[in-house]
Amino acid sequence: MVENRPFLALLRHLVLILGVALLALPVWLAFVASTQDGGEMLSGQFSLLPSGHLIENYTAVLFQGLASAGVPPVERMIFNSLTMALAISVGKIAISILSAFAIVYFRFPLRKTIFWMIFLTLMLPVEVRIVPTFQVVSDLGLLNSTAGLTLPLIASATATFLFRQFFLSVPPELAEAARMDGAGPMRFFTDILLPLSRTNIAALFVILFIYGWNQYIWPFVATTDESHYTVVMGIQRMVAVPDSEPIWNVVMATAILGMLPPVLVVLAMQRLFVKGLVDSEK
Amino acid sequence: MGPQVVFRSRVLPYLLVAPQLAVTLIFFFWPAAQGLRQSFLREDAFGLSTEFVGFENYATVLADPTYLEAFGRSLAMGALVAAFSMGLALLFATMADRVVRGAHVYKTLLVWPYAVAPALAGVLWFLMFNPTIGVVGYTLNRAGISWNHYLDGDQAFLLVVLAASWKEISYDFVFFLAGLQSIPRGVIEAAAIDGAGPARRFWTIVFPLLAPTSFFLLVVNIVYAFFETFAVIHATTQGGPGGATETLVYKVFNDGFIGLDFGSSAAQSAILMVIVSLLTVAQFRLLDRRAEA
């Protein structure tokens, strides 16, 4: 600390507390709205404190959903979101770590070509190739399936780059020693490389879980059957009700439930989250 | 590229890359090629016949005033989201960097919005500013500032920017804080001994040293504003009112899925791909410089 001025320290805390409050405000107001009943919401009398319908509202959205808007119970949508997020993160990590291993530790014809083909996927986010991707997935008969929901999102290079970067930083002596001891490439991979990558895998998992959970447009077009809705896209069906005002307390209860899992992951694994965030941009 | 020691095997490396290669070919190259092909074709309204039209779809898109407006709108959105979120993130990071007590708690309480889905963030802000039942919207109207984002295009645009910025502050905060913590304390202390106050030290030492981080974040924020705002817009304003929140990515989706104008939508995708490529190259260049700094 360069100088110690109590006034400056106080100012810092003040700014940070205001910042924390500013970030929390929208979620707090949503939470308050989710505890009110329909009449309270529309009365125009604002309360900054929760009302008494918390359990009633949350049980209703969790187990009944909003049939009038064609939205299944939130409990079902959360299960779908969880399946999608886990399939995307586990799938992406598994295929990426294997291809990065091949690209770093082997020399083989077409290696550079394959590397550049994977690299190219960075250029075209799913939002942009959405129409032709929909046609392909539909041709393959994969609409309304976990495979169709996740595979187009797994086709991306970020994780491959992360593992490649990490493998390049592993001392080459390790591979040499393993080879001299007679270990084959897969033995080296499972006994040495995989344990060394543990933290990287965990950090990447946190980032990919959030990425997968928060997917919106692809699940929106790839699920036509409401039993496959995910919670993040399902909320749109609740908001975009034709010719009437959305039932806001129900919408907000759903929003709170839909953001809870990824937010809890960040709060519980903050260190891994920050590492994953910084690493995946390298 | 790669360490000196390599394993030898004729088949194994291909088996290892096969899963990723298969997924990439089927779910990336195949649709991308389809899209590219479609951008040179024109389909009649019933999808019965297609005809090769060369670059006509591109010419039509680039001459369309609503496309050019959406282009300007996307750029403005990128600039505003970057300005809001980076400005506040830098302020919070500077404060958090020097706080002794409670630093960890502040960090935790400032990073969580990253995990909120853009679509949900949009819905939260939409309710908050609702002119009759939203706390902020209602208060604004009571105070004589007429607010109704259902009717006023500029206000709807601003609302999308605010919701997107709110979520992005956390991301920028993490990178600014990492940037600040990598500045050697000795430099700051030397300046302090020479009599430079906190404000002067910030503008003459800290701020220039953060330049690589800032440029990097600027590019990331613009890419974010281009793509991720789609969910905010789709879940709330649907491009309205009167097209005031229609961005380039929203148009790709809307013209393709709703308008069923596949040729135009595909040409727009291809143009966007060029933009993303340029931004990606810029990002990689900046990363190199960031690594050197």
Side-chain angles (χ1 to χ4, degrees), chain A residues 58-97:
Chain A
Y58 279 81
T59 348
V61 292
L62 266 175
F63 303 110
Q64 287 156 34
L66 195 61
S68 62
V71 177
V74 171
E75 155 247 353
R76 172 86 221 166
M77 297 199 289
I78 285 183
F79 175 77
N80 291 340
S81 289
L82 193 66
T83 315
M84 176 174 73
L86 288 176
I88 289 175
S89 31
V90 173
K92 215 163 167 170
I93 288 173
I95 65 170
S96 300
I97 200 166

mmCIF file of all heavy atoms in Angstrom, chain A residues 58-97:
data_model
loop_
_atom_site.group_PDB
_atom_site.id
_atom_site.type_symbol
_atom_site.label_atom_id
_atom_site.label_comp_id
_atom_site.label_asym_id
_atom_site.label_seq_id
_atom_site.Cartn_x
_atom_site.Cartn_y
_atom_site.Cartn_z
ATOM 1 N N TYR A 58 -43.579 -20.622 -6.455
ATOM 2 C CA TYR A 58 -42.493 -21.492 -6.931
ATOM 3 C C TYR A 58 -42.978 -22.930 -7.100
ATOM 4 O O TYR A 58 -42.581 -23.608 -8.033
ATOM 5 C CB TYR A 58 -41.274 -21.402 -6.001
ATOM 6 C CG TYR A 58 -40.439 -20.172 -6.298
ATOM 7 C CD1 TYR A 58 -40.807 -18.927 -5.803
ATOM 8 C CD2 TYR A 58 -39.313 -20.244 -7.103
ATOM 9 C CE1 TYR A 58 -40.078 -17.792 -6.082
ATOM 10 C CE2 TYR A 58 -38.571 -19.108 -7.392
ATOM 11 C CZ TYR A 58 -38.952 -17.891 -6.872
ATOM 12 O OH TYR A 58 -38.230 -16.765 -7.170
ATOM 13 N N THR A 59 -43.846 -23.387 -6.198
ATOM 14 C CA THR A 59 -44.369 -24.747 -6.406
ATOM 15 C C THR A 59 -45.179 -24.801 -7.693
ATOM 16 O O THR A 59 -45.112 -25.781 -8.441
ATOM 17 C CB THR A 59 -45.308 -25.180 -5.249
ATOM 18 O OG1 THR A 59 -45.187 -24.258 -4.202
ATOM 19 C CG2 THR A 59 -45.003 -26.557 -4.751
ATOM 20 N N ALA A 60 -45.950 -23.718 -7.950
ATOM 21 C CA ALA A 60 -46.786 -23.710 -9.147
ATOM 22 C C ALA A 60 -45.924 -23.799 -10.413
ATOM 23 O O ALA A 60 -46.196 -24.616 -11.285
ATOM 24 C CB ALA A 60 -47.646 -22.452 -9.177
ATOM 25 N N VAL A 61 -44.881 -22.947 -10.533
ATOM 26 C CA VAL A 61 -44.092 -22.997 -11.773
ATOM 27 C C VAL A 61 -43.290 -24.289 -11.860
ATOM 28 O O VAL A 61 -43.160 -24.874 -12.929
ATOM 29 C CB VAL A 61 -43.135 -21.794 -11.954
ATOM 30 C CG1 VAL A 61 -43.909 -20.530 -12.185
ATOM 31 C CG2 VAL A 61 -42.160 -21.655 -10.830
ATOM 32 N N LEU A 62 -42.783 -24.745 -10.707
ATOM 33 C CA LEU A 62 -41.945 -25.945 -10.756
ATOM 34 C C LEU A 62 -42.726 -27.163 -11.230
ATOM 35 O O LEU A 62 -42.252 -27.942 -12.044
ATOM 36 C CB LEU A 62 -41.351 -26.224 -9.375
ATOM 37 C CG LEU A 62 -39.967 -25.667 -9.102
ATOM 38 C CD1 LEU A 62 -39.570 -25.928 -7.669
ATOM 39 C CD2 LEU A 62 -38.939 -26.254 -10.052
ATOM 40 N N PHE A 63 -43.952 -27.320 -10.722
ATOM 41 C CA PHE A 63 -44.647 -28.583 -10.994
ATOM 42 C C PHE A 63 -45.824 -28.472 -11.954
ATOM 43 O O PHE A 63 -46.331 -29.472 -12.414
ATOM 44 C CB PHE A 63 -45.064 -29.229 -9.665
ATOM 45 C CG PHE A 63 -43.884 -29.445 -8.756
ATOM 46 C CD1 PHE A 63 -43.723 -28.700 -7.603
ATOM 47 C CD2 PHE A 63 -42.897 -30.360 -9.113
ATOM 48 C CE1 PHE A 63 -42.606 -28.877 -6.791
ATOM 49 C CE2 PHE A 63 -41.783 -30.539 -8.309
ATOM 50 C CZ PHE A 63 -41.632 -29.796 -7.148
ATOM 51 N N GLN A 64 -46.267 -27.230 -12.250
ATOM 52 C CA GLN A 64 -47.347 -27.091 -13.221
ATOM 53 C C GLN A 64 -46.943 -26.372 -14.493
ATOM 54 O O GLN A 64 -47.484 -26.635 -15.557
ATOM 55 C CB GLN A 64 -48.528 -26.349 -12.587
ATOM 56 C CG GLN A 64 -49.300 -27.196 -11.594
ATOM 57 C CD GLN A 64 -50.022 -26.332 -10.599
ATOM 58 O OE1 GLN A 64 -50.474 -25.247 -10.930
ATOM 59 N NE2 GLN A 64 -50.107 -26.804 -9.367
ATOM 60 N N GLY A 65 -45.999 -25.433 -14.400
ATOM 61 C CA GLY A 65 -45.622 -24.663 -15.574
ATOM 62 C C GLY A 65 -46.702 -23.672 -15.914
ATOM 63 O O GLY A 65 -47.469 -23.228 -15.054
ATOM 64 N N LEU A 66 -46.800 -23.309 -17.177
ATOM 65 C CA LEU A 66 -47.788 -22.339 -17.599
ATOM 66 C C LEU A 66 -48.462 -22.896 -18.838
ATOM 67 O O LEU A 66 -48.082 -22.622 -19.957
ATOM 68 C CB LEU A 66 -47.108 -20.996 -17.892
ATOM 69 C CG LEU A 66 -48.007 -19.772 -17.997
ATOM 70 C CD1 LEU A 66 -48.752 -19.541 -16.690
ATOM 71 C CD2 LEU A 66 -47.192 -18.554 -18.357
ATOM 72 N N ALA A 67 -49.472 -23.708 -18.579
ATOM 73 C CA ALA A 67 -50.111 -24.426 -19.680
ATOM 74 C C ALA A 67 -50.726 -23.475 -20.707
ATOM 75 O O ALA A 67 -50.706 -23.738 -21.906
ATOM 76 C CB ALA A 67 -51.170 -25.367 -19.130
ATOM 77 N N SER A 68 -51.218 -22.301 -20.232
ATOM 78 C CA SER A 68 -51.866 -21.370 -21.158
ATOM 79 C C SER A 68 -50.889 -20.872 -22.217
ATOM 80 O O SER A 68 -51.274 -20.522 -23.319
ATOM 81 C CB SER A 68 -52.446 -20.185 -20.386
ATOM 82 O OG SER A 68 -51.403 -19.480 -19.739
ATOM 83 N N ALA A 69 -49.585 -20.834 -21.885
ATOM 84 C CA ALA A 69 -48.595 -20.391 -22.860
ATOM 85 C C ALA A 69 -47.860 -21.588 -23.472
ATOM 86 O O ALA A 69 -46.876 -21.430 -24.185
ATOM 87 C CB ALA A 69 -47.593 -19.439 -22.200
ATOM 88 N N GLY A 70 -48.332 -22.801 -23.190
ATOM 89 C CA GLY A 70 -47.690 -23.989 -23.740
ATOM 90 C C GLY A 70 -46.327 -24.259 -23.133
ATOM 91 O O GLY A 70 -45.448 -24.783 -23.806
ATOM 92 N N VAL A 71 -46.161 -23.885 -21.869
ATOM 93 C CA VAL A 71 -44.860 -24.085 -21.228
ATOM 94 C C VAL A 71 -44.961 -25.210 -20.200
ATOM 95 O O VAL A 71 -45.815 -25.166 -19.319
ATOM 96 C CB VAL A 71 -44.378 -22.786 -20.555
ATOM 97 C CG1 VAL A 71 -43.080 -23.005 -19.822
ATOM 98 C CG2 VAL A 71 -44.200 -21.697 -21.601
ATOM 99 N N PRO A 72 -44.115 -26.230 -20.319
ATOM 100 C CA PRO A 72 -44.166 -27.366 -19.396
ATOM 101 C C PRO A 72 -43.679 -26.977 -17.998
ATOM 102 O O PRO A 72 -43.120 -25.892 -17.829
ATOM 103 C CB PRO A 72 -43.212 -28.372 -20.027
ATOM 104 C CG PRO A 72 -42.272 -27.559 -20.839
ATOM 105 C CD PRO A 72 -43.057 -26.381 -21.321
ATOM 106 N N PRO A 73 -43.864 -27.830 -16.997
ATOM 107 C CA PRO A 73 -43.366 -27.532 -15.653
ATOM 108 C C PRO A 73 -41.876 -27.189 -15.685
ATOM 109 O O PRO A 73 -41.104 -27.805 -16.411
ATOM 110 C CB PRO A 73 -43.596 -28.835 -14.887
ATOM 111 C CG PRO A 73 -44.673 -29.533 -15.634
ATOM 112 C CD PRO A 73 -44.554 -29.112 -17.061
ATOM 113 N N VAL A 74 -41.481 -26.201 -14.878
ATOM 114 C CA VAL A 74 -40.094 -25.741 -14.880
ATOM 115 C C VAL A 74 -39.142 -26.861 -14.457
ATOM 116 O O VAL A 74 -38.015 -26.950 -14.936
ATOM 117 C CB VAL A 74 -39.951 -24.504 -13.969
ATOM 118 C CG1 VAL A 74 -38.501 -24.124 -13.775
ATOM 119 C CG2 VAL A 74 -40.709 -23.335 -14.573
ATOM 120 N N GLU A 75 -39.625 -27.721 -13.602
ATOM 121 C CA GLU A 75 -38.804 -28.855 -13.142
ATOM 122 C C GLU A 75 -38.350 -29.688 -14.344
ATOM 123 O O GLU A 75 -37.194 -30.102 -14.448
ATOM 124 C CB GLU A 75 -39.638 -29.649 -12.140
ATOM 125 C CG GLU A 75 -39.301 -31.086 -11.956
ATOM 126 C CD GLU A 75 -40.402 -32.008 -12.463
ATOM 127 O OE1 GLU A 75 -41.487 -31.534 -12.837
ATOM 128 O OE2 GLU A 75 -40.150 -33.209 -12.488
ATOM 129 N N ARG A 76 -39.241 -29.873 -15.300
ATOM 130 C CA ARG A 76 -38.925 -30.599 -16.540
ATOM 131 C C ARG A 76 -37.881 -29.826 -17.377
ATOM 132 O O ARG A 76 -36.925 -30.388 -17.881
ATOM 133 C CB ARG A 76 -40.234 -30.738 -17.331
ATOM 134 C CG ARG A 76 -40.118 -31.293 -18.718
ATOM 135 C CD ARG A 76 -40.158 -32.790 -18.701
ATOM 136 N NE ARG A 76 -39.179 -33.298 -19.644
ATOM 137 C CZ ARG A 76 -38.767 -34.551 -19.695
ATOM 138 N NH1 ARG A 76 -39.232 -35.427 -18.832
ATOM 139 N NH2 ARG A 76 -37.898 -34.937 -20.568
ATOM 140 N N MET A 77 -38.088 -28.497 -17.479
ATOM 141 C CA MET A 77 -37.175 -27.686 -18.289
ATOM 142 C C MET A 77 -35.782 -27.620 -17.659
ATOM 143 O O MET A 77 -34.775 -27.600 -18.358
ATOM 144 C CB MET A 77 -37.743 -26.280 -18.479
ATOM 145 C CG MET A 77 -39.061 -26.258 -19.244
ATOM 146 S SD MET A 77 -39.460 -24.633 -19.928
ATOM 147 C CE MET A 77 -39.848 -23.714 -18.450
ATOM 148 N N ILE A 78 -35.752 -27.597 -16.316
ATOM 149 C CA ILE A 78 -34.458 -27.573 -15.639
ATOM 150 C C ILE A 78 -33.709 -28.875 -15.896
ATOM 151 O O ILE A 78 -32.503 -28.883 -16.157
ATOM 152 C CB ILE A 78 -34.639 -27.307 -14.125
ATOM 153 C CG1 ILE A 78 -34.967 -25.829 -13.922
ATOM 154 C CG2 ILE A 78 -33.394 -27.691 -13.327
ATOM 155 C CD1 ILE A 78 -35.095 -25.400 -12.493
ATOM 156 N N PHE A 79 -34.450 -29.968 -15.884
ATOM 157 C CA PHE A 79 -33.826 -31.257 -16.189
ATOM 158 C C PHE A 79 -33.257 -31.241 -17.615
ATOM 159 O O PHE A 79 -32.127 -31.678 -17.859
ATOM 160 C CB PHE A 79 -34.857 -32.382 -16.029
ATOM 161 C CG PHE A 79 -34.339 -33.727 -16.430
ATOM 162 C CD1 PHE A 79 -33.485 -34.429 -15.588
ATOM 163 C CD2 PHE A 79 -34.670 -34.279 -17.662
ATOM 164 C CE1 PHE A 79 -32.986 -35.663 -15.961
ATOM 165 C CE2 PHE A 79 -34.172 -35.515 -18.048
ATOM 166 C CZ PHE A 79 -33.328 -36.205 -17.192
ATOM 167 N N ASN A 80 -34.022 -30.695 -18.578
ATOM 168 C CA ASN A 80 -33.531 -30.607 -19.955
ATOM 169 C C ASN A 80 -32.295 -29.723 -20.057
ATOM 170 O O ASN A 80 -31.344 -30.047 -20.767
ATOM 171 C CB ASN A 80 -34.623 -30.037 -20.877
ATOM 172 C CG ASN A 80 -35.772 -31.012 -21.055
ATOM 173 O OD1 ASN A 80 -35.620 -32.200 -20.814
ATOM 174 N ND2 ASN A 80 -36.917 -30.495 -21.451
ATOM 175 N N SER A 81 -32.317 -28.588 -19.346
ATOM 176 C CA SER A 81 -31.170 -27.674 -19.368
ATOM 177 C C SER A 81 -29.932 -28.371 -18.810
ATOM 178 O O SER A 81 -28.833 -28.231 -19.353
ATOM 179 C CB SER A 81 -31.452 -26.430 -18.531
ATOM 180 O OG SER A 81 -32.389 -25.615 -19.173
ATOM 181 N N LEU A 82 -30.151 -29.098 -17.715
ATOM 182 C CA LEU A 82 -29.031 -29.782 -17.081
ATOM 183 C C LEU A 82 -28.433 -30.831 -18.029
ATOM 184 O O LEU A 82 -27.210 -30.917 -18.193
ATOM 185 C CB LEU A 82 -29.515 -30.453 -15.790
ATOM 186 C CG LEU A 82 -28.435 -30.953 -14.854
ATOM 187 C CD1 LEU A 82 -27.650 -29.783 -14.293
ATOM 188 C CD2 LEU A 82 -29.039 -31.756 -13.708
ATOM 189 N N THR A 83 -29.306 -31.596 -18.673
ATOM 190 C CA THR A 83 -28.829 -32.592 -19.638
ATOM 191 C C THR A 83 -28.027 -31.917 -20.738
ATOM 192 O O THR A 83 -26.925 -32.358 -21.091
ATOM 193 C CB THR A 83 -30.029 -33.315 -20.286
ATOM 194 O OG1 THR A 83 -30.947 -33.660 -19.270
ATOM 195 C CG2 THR A 83 -29.582 -34.548 -21.033
ATOM 196 N N MET A 84 -28.578 -30.818 -21.283
ATOM 197 C CA MET A 84 -27.904 -30.125 -22.368
ATOM 198 C C MET A 84 -26.549 -29.571 -21.917
ATOM 199 O O MET A 84 -25.532 -29.766 -22.588
ATOM 200 C CB MET A 84 -28.796 -28.993 -22.877
ATOM 201 C CG MET A 84 -28.150 -28.149 -23.958
ATOM 202 S SD MET A 84 -29.270 -26.919 -24.667
ATOM 203 C CE MET A 84 -29.384 -25.735 -23.332
ATOM 204 N N ALA A 85 -26.529 -28.900 -20.746
ATOM 205 C CA ALA A 85 -25.290 -28.286 -20.278
ATOM 206 C C ALA A 85 -24.226 -29.351 -20.026
ATOM 207 O O ALA A 85 -23.057 -29.181 -20.395
ATOM 208 C CB ALA A 85 -25.552 -27.481 -19.002
ATOM 209 N N LEU A 86 -24.624 -30.479 -19.411
ATOM 210 C CA LEU A 86 -23.643 -31.534 -19.116
ATOM 211 C C LEU A 86 -23.154 -32.183 -20.404
ATOM 212 O O LEU A 86 -21.958 -32.440 -20.568
ATOM 213 C CB LEU A 86 -24.249 -32.578 -18.188
ATOM 214 C CG LEU A 86 -24.446 -32.115 -16.741
ATOM 215 C CD1 LEU A 86 -25.131 -33.193 -15.928
ATOM 216 C CD2 LEU A 86 -23.100 -31.756 -16.103
ATOM 217 N N ALA A 87 -24.080 -32.449 -21.345
ATOM 218 C CA ALA A 87 -23.667 -33.087 -22.596
ATOM 219 C C ALA A 87 -22.698 -32.193 -23.357
ATOM 220 O O ALA A 87 -21.695 -32.665 -23.905
ATOM 221 C CB ALA A 87 -24.886 -33.395 -23.462
ATOM 222 N N ILE A 88 -22.982 -30.888 -23.379
ATOM 223 C CA ILE A 88 -22.098 -29.967 -24.099
ATOM 224 C C ILE A 88 -20.730 -29.904 -23.429
ATOM 225 O O ILE A 88 -19.694 -30.039 -24.092
ATOM 226 C CB ILE A 88 -22.712 -28.553 -24.191
ATOM 227 C CG1 ILE A 88 -23.896 -28.564 -25.155
ATOM 228 C CG2 ILE A 88 -21.685 -27.531 -24.645
ATOM 229 C CD1 ILE A 88 -24.650 -27.260 -25.230
ATOM 230 N N SER A 89 -20.704 -29.753 -22.097
ATOM 231 C CA SER A 89 -19.395 -29.584 -21.458
ATOM 232 C C SER A 89 -18.592 -30.880 -21.484
ATOM 233 O O SER A 89 -17.408 -30.862 -21.834
ATOM 234 C CB SER A 89 -19.522 -29.012 -20.044
ATOM 235 O OG SER A 89 -20.697 -29.405 -19.419
ATOM 236 N N VAL A 90 -19.223 -31.988 -21.150
ATOM 237 C CA VAL A 90 -18.477 -33.250 -21.148
ATOM 238 C C VAL A 90 -18.060 -33.624 -22.580
ATOM 239 O O VAL A 90 -16.906 -33.987 -22.837
ATOM 240 C CB VAL A 90 -19.307 -34.385 -20.511
ATOM 241 C CG1 VAL A 90 -18.606 -35.721 -20.679
ATOM 242 C CG2 VAL A 90 -19.548 -34.101 -19.046
ATOM 243 N N GLY A 91 -18.993 -33.469 -23.536
ATOM 244 C CA GLY A 91 -18.688 -33.818 -24.922
ATOM 245 C C GLY A 91 -17.561 -32.992 -25.487
ATOM 246 O O GLY A 91 -16.625 -33.527 -26.105
ATOM 247 N N LYS A 92 -17.626 -31.701 -25.233
ATOM 248 C CA LYS A 92 -16.613 -30.812 -25.803
ATOM 249 C C LYS A 92 -15.239 -31.108 -25.202
ATOM 250 O O LYS A 92 -14.243 -31.160 -25.919
ATOM 251 C CB LYS A 92 -17.008 -29.368 -25.507
ATOM 252 C CG LYS A 92 -16.653 -28.405 -26.615
ATOM 253 C CD LYS A 92 -17.443 -27.127 -26.427
ATOM 254 C CE LYS A 92 -16.903 -26.047 -27.308
ATOM 255 N NZ LYS A 92 -17.759 -24.865 -27.354
ATOM 256 N N ILE A 93 -15.202 -31.312 -23.878
ATOM 257 C CA ILE A 93 -13.926 -31.594 -23.231
ATOM 258 C C ILE A 93 -13.357 -32.911 -23.757
ATOM 259 O O ILE A 93 -12.177 -32.999 -24.105
ATOM 260 C CB ILE A 93 -14.091 -31.614 -21.691
ATOM 261 C CG1 ILE A 93 -14.315 -30.197 -21.182
ATOM 262 C CG2 ILE A 93 -12.865 -32.229 -21.022
ATOM 263 C CD1 ILE A 93 -14.652 -30.105 -19.712
ATOM 264 N N ALA A 94 -14.207 -33.922 -23.866
ATOM 265 C CA ALA A 94 -13.718 -35.243 -24.287
ATOM 266 C C ALA A 94 -13.143 -35.204 -25.699
ATOM 267 O O ALA A 94 -12.007 -35.644 -25.923
ATOM 268 C CB ALA A 94 -14.858 -36.266 -24.208
ATOM 269 N N ILE A 95 -13.877 -34.647 -26.658
ATOM 270 C CA ILE A 95 -13.351 -34.691 -28.022
ATOM 271 C C ILE A 95 -12.168 -33.731 -28.181
ATOM 272 O O ILE A 95 -11.258 -34.003 -28.958
ATOM 273 C CB ILE A 95 -14.427 -34.417 -29.097
ATOM 274 C CG1 ILE A 95 -14.965 -33.007 -29.013
ATOM 275 C CG2 ILE A 95 -15.555 -35.427 -29.036
ATOM 276 C CD1 ILE A 95 -15.842 -32.644 -30.202
ATOM 277 N N SER A 96 -12.160 -32.633 -27.412
ATOM 278 C CA SER A 96 -11.090 -31.647 -27.574
ATOM 279 C C SER A 96 -9.778 -32.145 -27.004
ATOM 280 O O SER A 96 -8.715 -31.929 -27.584
ATOM 281 C CB SER A 96 -11.447 -30.349 -26.870
ATOM 282 O OG SER A 96 -12.606 -29.827 -27.404
ATOM 283 N N ILE A 97 -9.835 -32.799 -25.850
ATOM 284 C CA ILE A 97 -8.589 -33.217 -25.212
ATOM 285 C C ILE A 97 -7.925 -34.293 -26.066
ATOM 286 O O ILE A 97 -6.698 -34.318 -26.210
ATOM 287 C CB ILE A 97 -8.838 -33.657 -23.749
ATOM 288 C CG1 ILE A 97 -7.522 -33.604 -22.968
ATOM 289 C CG2 ILE A 97 -9.460 -35.039 -23.653
ATOM 290 C CD1 ILE A 97 -7.723 -33.694 -21.470
#
